[in-house]
């Protein structure tokens, strides 16, 4: 630490003493944490190391962005002047990519489906010949492709009807299996109650290609971004939401997709954990955005959805061996009036769970939080 204090233009010891949370949880020294995370959390300014009166940074500018662009000690860093580094400069060649976009329906309105289809069409104008589009419909009364204007949506299109409702995970598994039995290199799964924002597909594919490794990728959400943490530069995260995701053939081969025994909710967390064990990397692609409006759910009490989420969380904890949390969830479900005897049987229990996944299972959102 003495050597570091000589190098840096601030008091390293003063900074370290103020980072109570980091010293309690971080496995290495506090300065390492500063460079990996703290600069993006504005810890220098929050601790008075960068005086906001002397260094009047824009509120949207992180400590990293300011220090990366500073030309003199008193330079004001304006938002429009920020020059992002190579992590944010995506111009990858996606000519070899073959994408299947898959959607699993269940009693969705024609308006919802039409809005999603329009957004797909707008997104793939320049790569239409590299895309196929697939629907699996779990509704009792199926949609037909002839109901919609599909011109310009993919080089090929297909629909599977499963009126017995095989569920979200099994539905995507069928679509992924058929896609990867063909010549698809990547599969993008999208919820039907949302839509792609501008350039989301191309940005997601360029992000995936830039990583150069088997990857499971989440398209970032609008208008309410997911509160789970991801690294602001690399995009790495602990699990990937199933609302809008992208995976490559290798990740599918290593994981076989979703666990179809899962009840509703948390099957995406389970897939993410298995992908981590299979040595795939997990990311959020911040420039690939999917509009999935869950704001109303945040403020409206929905007992049916809440119970389904509790059951999914309980199943995940049972499968992955967090007995303490599973037991607490059983008590909570009983208080909600759910008969414990009617909970689903856990079809598979994981053994030799790695410590990093055990750590994720302890966290309220199975991940560190970005906001609270």
């Amino acid at each position: 630490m003495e050597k570091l204090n000589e190098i840096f233009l601030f008091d390293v010891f003063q900074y370290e003493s103020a980072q109570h949370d980091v010293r309690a949880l971080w496995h290495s020294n506090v300065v390492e944490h500063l460079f990996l995370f703290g600069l993006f959390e504005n810890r220098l300014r929050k601790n008075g190391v960068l005086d906001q009166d002397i260094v009047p940074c824009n509120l949207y500018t992180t400590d990293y962005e300011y220090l990366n662009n500073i030309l003199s000690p008193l330079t004001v860093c304006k938002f429009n002047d920020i020059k992002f580094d190579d992590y944010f400069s995506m111009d990858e060649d996606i000519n070899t990519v073959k994408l299947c976009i898959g959607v699993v329906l269940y009693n969705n309105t024609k308006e919802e489906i039409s809005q999603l289809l329009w957004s797909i069409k707008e997104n793939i104008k320049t790569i239409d010949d590299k895309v196929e589009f697939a629907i699996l419909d779990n509704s009792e009364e199926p949609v037909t492709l002839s109901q919609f204007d599909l011109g310009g949506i993919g080089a090929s299109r297909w629909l599977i009807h499963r009126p017995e409702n095989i569920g979200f995970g099994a539905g995507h598994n069928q679509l992924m299996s058929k896609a990867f039995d063909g010549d698809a290199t990547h599969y993008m799964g999208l919820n039907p109650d949302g839509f792609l924002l501008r350039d989301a597909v191309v940005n997601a594919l360029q992000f995936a290609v830039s990583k150069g490794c088997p990857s499971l990728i989440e398209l970032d959400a609008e208008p309410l971004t997911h509160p789970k943490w991801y690294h602001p530069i690399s995009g790495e995260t602990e699990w990937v939401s199933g609302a809008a995701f992208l995976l490559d053939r290798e990740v599918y081969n290593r994981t076989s997709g979703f666990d179809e025994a899962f009840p509703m909710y948390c099957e995406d967390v389970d897939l993410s954990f298995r992908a981590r064990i299979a040595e795939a990397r997990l990311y959020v692609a911040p420039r690939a955005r999917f509009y999935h409006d869950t704001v109303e759910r945040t403020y409206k009490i929905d007992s049916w959805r809440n119970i389904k989420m509790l059951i999914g969380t309980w199943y995940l904890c049972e499968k992955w061996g967090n007995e303490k949390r599973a037991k607490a969830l059983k008590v909570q479900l009983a208080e909600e009036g759910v008969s414990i005897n009617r909970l689903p049987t856990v079809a598979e229990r994981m053994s030799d769970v790695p410590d990093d996944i055990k750590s994720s299972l302890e966290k309220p959102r199975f991940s560190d939080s970005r906001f609270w």
Side-chain angles (χ1 to χ4, degrees):
M1 292 294 288
E2 288 81 4
K3 291 291 184 183
L4 290 173
N5 204 47
E6 293 175 11
I7 296 170
F8 294 118
L9 299 178
F10 63 88
D11 189 333
V12 173
F13 295 102
Q14 181 269 333
Y15 175 81
E16 181 190 28
S17 66
Q19 311 307 306
H20 306 293
D21 57 329
V22 176
R23 286 190 287 116
L25 299 174
W26 190 244
H27 64 276
S28 189
N29 67 64
V30 171
V31 174
E32 180 186 26
H33 178 276
L34 171 66
F35 279 90
L36 289 174
F37 308 104
L39 289 176
F40 310 103
E41 299 170 354
N42 294 339
R43 285 182 179 258
L44 292 181
R45 261 180 286 170
K46 287 178 181 177
N47 289 277
V49 177
L50 291 178
D51 191 322
Q52 294 190 61
D53 294 327
I54 298 176
V55 186
C57 297
N58 187 293
L59 292 175
Y60 295 106
T61 305
T62 67
D63 290 346
Y64 168 82
E65 291 161 352
Y66 172 75
L67 294 172
N68 194 44
N69 290 275
I70 191 167
L71 299 176
S72 64
L74 298 180
T75 299
V76 177
C77 183
K78 298 178 181 178
F79 186 70
N80 291 335
D81 295 335
I82 297 170
K83 302 179 183 69
F84 294 106
D85 60 24
D86 290 341
Y87 286 106
F88 294 91
S89 177
M90 293 294 174
D91 191 21
E92 301 292 336
D93 184 0
I94 58 173
N95 285 329
T96 60
V97 169
K98 296 289 185 181
L99 175 66
C100 176
I101 298 177
V103 179
V104 175
L105 303 178
Y106 180 67
N107 294 339
N108 295 93
T109 66
K110 186 175 180 180
E111 289 72 22
E112 283 180 327
I113 300 169
S114 296
Q115 186 168 241
L116 175 60
L117 294 178
W118 179 86
S119 75
I120 294 172
K121 181 178 179 179
E122 290 297 305
N123 260 265
I124 65 173
K125 282 180 176 179
T126 60
I127 57 169
D128 182 58
D129 60 329
K130 303 178 186 301
V131 179
E132 62 180 353
F133 175 66
I135 291 176
L136 187 137
D137 189 3
N138 282 318
S139 311
E140 291 183 9
E141 296 185 8
V143 300
T144 61
L145 295 182
S146 61
Q147 290 178 261
F148 304 96
D149 177 12
L150 297 177
I153 301 183
S156 64
R157 312 169 195 99
W158 34 279
L159 183 147
I160 301 172
H161 183 217
R162 297 300 299 268
E164 69 274 27
N165 187 9
I166 62 174
F168 169 88
H172 277 298
N173 282 354
Q174 284 203 11
L175 298 181
M176 285 189 281
S177 176
K178 185 169 181 178
F180 290 126
D181 282 346
D183 62 354
T185 61
H186 292 75
Y187 176 87
M188 180 178 286
L190 302 175
N191 267 23
D193 58 345
F195 55 90
L196 296 161
L197 297 183
R198 182 178 177 180
D199 297 330
V201 172
V202 169
N203 286 341
L205 292 175
Q206 289 182 334
F207 184 92
V209 171
S210 75
K211 296 304 178 182
C213 62
S215 303
L216 175 59
I217 297 170
E218 175 180 336
L219 281 67
D220 209 358
E222 288 281 5
L224 189 65
T225 188
H226 201 289
K228 66 182 175 64
W229 190 88
Y230 66 85
H231 194 288
I233 298 299
S234 71
E236 289 204 70
T237 191
E238 292 184 63
W239 61 271
V240 165
S241 169
F245 65 94
L246 176 72
L247 56 75
D248 54 59
R249 179 187 291 269
E250 185 60 31
V251 173
Y252 176 75
N253 288 340
R254 295 183 188 184
T255 62
S256 300
F258 293 100
D259 179 352
E260 297 182 13
F262 249 79
M264 189 175 178
Y265 292 115
C266 287
E267 61 270 75
D268 47 5
V269 186
D270 171 75
L271 173 59
S272 298
F273 287 173
R274 288 186 288 110
R276 284 165 59 177
I277 289 177
E279 299 184 346
R281 306 296 288 270
L282 275 60
Y283 300 100
V284 174
R287 293 179 61 207
R289 308 190 74 81
F290 184 73
Y291 192 94
H292 187 229
D293 192 353
T294 59
V295 173
E296 185 177 350
R297 300 179 195 173
T298 305
Y299 300 103
K300 180 181 177 181
I301 297 175
D302 185 336
S303 59
W304 176 86
R305 190 183 302 276
N306 182 52
I307 287 172
K308 290 291 186 181
M309 292 184 73
L310 288 173
I311 292 173
T313 305
W314 166 81
Y315 193 99
L316 182 78
C317 292
E318 285 280 358
K319 176 177 178 177
W320 287 89
N322 189 323
E323 295 180 4
K324 181 180 178 180
R325 190 168 181 180
K327 185 177 180 180
L329 285 161
K330 270 190 173 181
V331 172
Q332 191 174 353
L333 283 164
E335 291 173 349
E336 294 285 344
V338 177
S339 172
I340 302 304
N341 294 329
R342 298 184 64 183
L343 289 175
T345 301
V346 180
E348 177 188 17
R349 296 180 185 272
M350 304 300 290
S351 59
D352 302 320
V353 178
D355 289 342
D356 63 319
I357 292 178
K358 287 181 180 178
S359 175
S360 295
L361 285 161
E362 293 288 342
K363 300 169 185 176
R365 294 187 176 92
F366 304 114
S367 167
D368 291 322
S369 176
R370 296 170 61 199
F371 307 122
W372 62 86

